Amino acid sequence: LNREIIALENKLLGLQDLDRKYVGFSESVRIVLEAHAGGEKSLRGLKGLMANIIDVPAGMELAVEVAAGKGLENIVVAAAADAREAIYFLKRKGLGRVTFLPLDSLRVQKLNPRIIKELGQREGVLGLASQLLNYDPQFEKAVEYLLGRVLLVSDLDRGMQIYKQSQLPLRIVSLDGEIINVSGAMTGGVMNRHKSSPLQRKGAVRKLEQQMQ
């Protein structure tokens, strides 16, 4: 039993180490976050990384990861002025591009609650991605911006039925990561499960912590 616990602890430490090193994120994002943690004054308006801000229910990690895409690397800041300072920091350092989401000026258009309720009653519909996640309410605009028009469904067949029946400006994403875009373009296939991804790491950490209790 002790050996099993030690093995689980080692796995947990390994995953936490990958998170600390921001493995899976671009070099520019990593350097910005490390500089902020180190007290860089021009980055004091940073509030957090989208991948860390959202808490995804078990089993939905792949779908949310596919739906958000590179948006998981978006960095939330308090105000547009903070985004400007962060961009100047990137330029001074000769670093690549990063997307910042300023909470004071981000524009988000939510769907009509009646439409959301109607969609939620259909078989196979899990709901809007933004409403299935847990997060601090202060980040609502950022989460809505990234995932407020993504509908999660149980599978591709169900998603195709819903797409044909509705004319809503929504991307439909299945739990297996297939996407039906607003235009009707579809993306799917076998995902690379061996690639270390932030949301799947968080899910693995949660599972390990439960096993160790």
Side-chain angles (χ1 to χ4, degrees):
L1 184 61
N2 285 338
R3 280 185 187 174
E4 289 178 11
I5 291 173
I6 290 169
L8 290 172
E9 286 177 344
N10 287 338
K11 280 184 183 179
L12 183 60
L13 288 171
L15 289 169
Q16 290 171 338
D17 186 54
L18 290 175
D19 279 339
R20 273 194 300 273
K21 293 175 179 175
Y22 300 109
V23 172
F25 295 104
S26 71
E27 182 187 21
S28 299
V29 167
R30 179 179 58 77
I31 291 174
V32 166
L33 294 172
E34 288 175 349
H36 173 253
E40 169 63 43
K41 288 183 180 179
S42 63
L43 300 175
R44 56 183 168 226
L46 268 62
K47 305 287 282 182
L49 183 68
M50 280 305 303
N52 294 337
I53 284 168
I54 58 175
D55 185 32
V56 182
M60 296 185 186
E61 293 93 349
L62 177 59
V64 172
E65 185 180 304
V66 164
K70 283 292 186 181
L72 291 174
E73 294 196 4
N74 289 358
I75 296 176
V76 179
V77 294
D82 298 313
R84 181 189 62 208
E85 289 301 312
I87 289 169
Y88 285 157
F89 170 84
L90 289 168
K91 292 173 81 171
R92 283 197 305 273
K93 299 290 183 181
L95 297 170
R97 299 162 72 85
V98 175
T99 297
F100 299 93
L101 307 181
L103 294 175
D104 73 330
S105 58
L106 203 58
R107 293 176 182 170
V108 175
Q109 190 172 7
K110 291 186 178 182
L111 284 177
N112 187 312
R114 180 182 57 79
I115 294 172
I116 297 171
K117 185 178 179 182
E118 181 189 322
L119 281 171
Q121 293 171 346
R122 299 190 187 186
E123 186 180 352
V125 171
L126 304 174
L128 287 182
S130 60
Q131 297 185 358
L132 295 170
L133 310 176
N134 295 311
Y135 55 89
D136 188 314
Q138 69 172 308
F139 298 118
E140 182 181 3
K141 272 172 66 170
V143 175
E144 284 291 336
Y145 165 80
L146 190 62
L147 295 163
R149 289 182 177 258
V150 173
L151 187 71
L152 296 192
V153 296
S154 58
D155 55 66
L156 180 59
D157 289 342
R158 190 67 60 188
M160 290 175 69
Q161 288 177 8
I162 292 163
Y163 179 80
K164 288 174 183 176
Q165 294 165 1
S166 70
Q167 301 294 320
L168 296 171
L170 293 171
R171 267 188 308 147
I172 299 171
V173 181
S174 74
L175 289 179
D176 282 337
E178 291 106 358
I179 303 172
I180 304 175
N181 288 290
V182 177
S183 64
M186 298 168 64
T187 303
V190 178
M191 297 289 291
N192 182 0
R193 300 281 183 168
H194 300 292
K195 186 180 177 183
S196 177
S197 66
L199 293 189
Q200 290 180 35
R201 279 204 304 270
K202 283 174 81 172
V205 166
R206 180 168 49 218
K207 190 174 179 180
L208 285 170
E209 287 174 341
Q210 289 171 350
Q211 288 177 312
M212 290 168 62
Q213 287 177 356

